[in-house]
Amino acid sequence: MQSGYSSSMQQVAPYRDTPTTSTGTPNDPSGLAIHAHSPFDSSHDLSSQPTLRNPPTNQPQPVPYMPVPQPGYQNIESRNSDWLEQSQRASKRSRRIVIGSVIALILLIAAGVALGVTLSKKSSSNNSSSSSSAPAGTNPNDPSNFPKNSALVNSFYGIAYTPLGSQLPDCGNSLTEVIEDIQLLSQITTTIRLYGADCNQSSLVLAAIQATKVNMSVYLGNYPDATDNGTAYERQKGEIQTALQQYGAANVLGVTVGNEFILDYITNAGQTDPNGSAGQAAAAMLIPWISDTRSMLSSMGMSNVLVGNADAGSYFNNEVLSAVDYGMANVHPWFANQSINDAAGWTADFFASTDVALAQSLSNKPKMFIAETGWPTGSSSFNANPNDGPSLASVQNLQIFIDTFACQATKNGTGYFFFEFSDEPWKNVTYGGVEGYWGLFDANKNLKNITIPTC
């Protein structure tokens, strides 16, 4: 197990990072070692806002009516006899006894009620005092009161995250599920990035952050499609605008427009140069969307929210990078066929020599982040590639990559987003191979058999 990566690692040739295909092998330059991303290919729109449930209000119960006993009265004709007088006196004594007994009973009942109220208030006070110091997770109506996992350590700079069920047209995500995700994520990082905005995910994430009251910031995402004349961009722009109007920008660091847009476009055109003719054509579509997003934020009084772009590490177009505040580069040692022992060092060197160096050569000098890096823990038999690389996809190798990369990157001041929060089973069906097995957590949100270091 390596103690950290070395900056003296040999630089390797650029690699490609897009959805997995079966063409070629990793050592065949004509083939692609490519990485999957979320499709946004539907015209459906889901713009309803999530609302937090309020606990039901306890209505006061009416106090039952208690009739006051009235003394009975009987009009009896007076008789001049000792027996009658004695009888009347006895009757009066009986009535006084009955009335006295009733009054005593009423007083006892009143005393009992008063004592009950006093004890109830005392109990309520004790319960209130206890709840303020109660163990986390005892209040299901308060998402900010949740159980903490001692195995989780806040050591990652950032985590790449997509709420499960955020693909059109199904949109199976929910506020309850996103709240659970944010509760877990807040224990391992303070920053997350999204890829797109479909299925209301921008609003869900911001609502969950505010409901849980955790220290969390987010880079929202707009995932446009080059083939739909801007339909996907406009749809997601509306989702982002609605989320910002509803929840504000206090937890928003930026909006990332485009994810591997240049890579996908030039690959489909059969080219490899991000600044070639196909790359320039893609930039001509992407840059106006970047400018439009900046204008939207300005019109909302949110000019402090940054605008950026994400792409594969070797595929940034210079003009696109010159138009943004930040760039996010996907840098995957797995797809570059690196061994696990070389993975951390290669990632650091590739990012510095390819992406940071390019950004520093531009006049705007955008801040650069590693948008994705990580190590898979398994593979599906569907589309499995036996030549994926010299090291296995395994939990043990994920542990090595975390140990040798995460803390050292933080120490070096490298902003990165570990890929990813949890396994995504839908990718096993759509893409196969290792695509569904990149999570720190499994698909049921259980932490894999890893130890998160303290950085």
Side-chain angles (χ1 to χ4, degrees):
M1 185 173 295
Q2 304 298 306
S3 60
Y5 58 72
S6 168
S7 60
S8 63
M9 292 298 304
Q10 290 291 329
Q11 178 60 40
V12 302
Y15 68 98
R16 298 183 183 181
D17 178 17
T18 52
T20 305
T21 66
S22 58
T23 58
T25 68
N27 297 319
D28 178 2
S30 65
L32 294 179
I34 53 183
H35 182 56
H37 48 262
S38 303
F40 291 89
D41 55 1
S42 170
S43 60
H44 289 74
D45 187 8
L46 200 70
S47 58
S48 60
Q49 297 305 304
T51 56
L52 298 178
R53 297 180 179 176
N54 294 320
T57 304
N58 292 326
Q59 299 296 330
Q61 298 300 316
V63 178
Y65 171 71
M66 181 179 292
V68 178
Q70 300 295 327
Y73 178 77
Q74 185 176 9
N75 185 14
I76 305 176
E77 182 179 358
S78 176
R79 295 181 181 177
N80 294 323
S81 72
D82 293 340
W83 176 85
L84 181 57
E85 289 178 0
Q86 293 176 356
S87 177
Q88 287 175 337
R89 285 196 297 269
S91 177
K92 289 179 180 179
R93 284 196 301 270
S94 298
R95 286 199 299 271
R96 285 196 296 268
I97 293 172
V98 170
I99 292 172
S101 298
V102 170
I103 292 174
L105 179 60
I106 291 173
L107 291 175
L108 287 173
I109 292 173
V113 169
L115 178 61
V117 169
T118 300
L119 292 175
S120 176
K121 288 181 177 180
K122 183 177 181 180
S123 175
S124 176
S125 175
N126 290 338
N127 288 340
S128 176
S129 175
S130 297
S131 66
S132 63
S133 59
T138 59
N139 188 351
N141 295 318
D142 181 5
S144 68
N145 186 8
F146 57 91
K148 307 302 189 295
N149 186 340
S150 61
L152 303 183
V153 184
N154 205 307
S155 293
F156 294 97
Y157 178 90
I159 300 291
Y161 170 63
T162 299
L164 190 63
S166 294
Q167 285 73 43
L168 291 172
D170 297 329
C171 292
N173 54 23
S174 71
L175 181 58
T176 298
E177 291 293 326
V178 176
I179 284 175
E180 289 181 1
D181 294 348
I182 294 298
Q183 289 172 338
L184 289 171
L185 283 162
S186 69
Q187 298 177 69
I188 61 175
T189 188
T190 59
T191 311
I192 58 175
R193 64 164 296 221
L194 303 180
Y195 291 79
D198 277 331
C199 300
N200 213 24
Q201 59 184 289
S202 303
S203 291
L204 290 172
V205 168
L206 292 180
I209 291 173
Q210 293 185 10
T212 54
K213 301 176 184 177
V214 296
N215 178 22
M216 183 70 72
S217 297
V218 57
Y219 286 89
L220 302 178
N222 190 324
Y223 203 129
D225 187 338
T227 65
D228 67 358
N229 198 31
T231 299
Y233 167 77
E234 292 293 341
R235 179 180 67 241
Q236 293 171 81
K237 173 190 171 184
E239 295 264 17
I240 292 170
Q241 187 173 29
T242 298
L244 292 172
Q245 289 170 339
Q246 181 74 21
Y247 300 102
N251 299 104
V252 179
L253 296 175
V255 178
T256 308
V257 181
N259 183 72
E260 296 188 338
F261 189 87
I262 301 296
L263 169 63
D264 290 345
Y265 193 89
I266 67 174
T267 299
N268 290 335
Q271 299 184 21
T272 58
D273 183 1
N275 294 297
S277 59
Q280 293 303 102
M285 286 187 284
L286 194 54
I287 291 173
W289 292 332
I290 291 170
S291 299
D292 183 60
T293 298
R294 200 183 296 279
S295 297
M296 176 195 73
L297 293 169
S298 178
S299 69
M300 299 176 70
M302 299 177 179
S303 298
N304 60 309
V305 176
L306 305 178
V307 179
N309 171 251
D311 220 305
S314 298
Y315 288 86
F316 278 105
N317 176 275
N318 291 4
E319 292 186 15
V320 170
L321 208 52
S322 296
V324 296
D325 301 312
Y326 63 88
M328 291 186 170
N330 295 345
V331 184
H332 280 288
W334 170 267
F335 292 112
N337 302 304
Q338 298 296 307
S339 72
I340 189 60
N341 292 327
D342 295 336
W346 176 88
T347 301
D349 284 348
F350 180 93
F351 177 63
S353 62
T354 304
D355 301 308
V356 175
L358 173 59
Q360 289 300 305
S361 72
L362 303 175
S363 60
N364 61 321
K365 292 180 170 47
K367 168 72 175 176
M368 297 303 291
F369 301 91
I370 296 178
E372 290 183 6
T373 194
W375 197 268
T377 59
S379 179
S380 168
S381 58
F382 170 59
N383 273 351
N385 188 342
N387 300 313
D388 271 335
S391 296
L392 294 175
S394 67
V395 173
Q396 291 79 7
N397 284 340
L398 170 61
Q399 181 72 69
I400 292 174
F401 187 69
I402 292 173
D403 290 342
T404 55
F405 176 80
C407 292
Q408 189 65 38
T410 300
K411 181 179 178 180
N412 291 347
T414 301
Y416 69 92
F417 294 85
F418 208 89
F419 187 78
E420 60 182 323
F421 167 58
S422 65
D423 289 348
E424 298 188 78
W426 70 271
K427 290 184 177 180
N428 293 333
V429 178
T430 305
Y431 302 112
V434 299
E435 292 299 334
Y437 298 96
W438 289 81
L440 295 168
F441 295 79
D442 64 24
N444 294 318
K445 304 180 187 179
N446 299 308
L447 183 68
K448 293 180 179 177
N449 189 24
I450 58 175
T451 300
I452 299 176
T454 300
C455 298

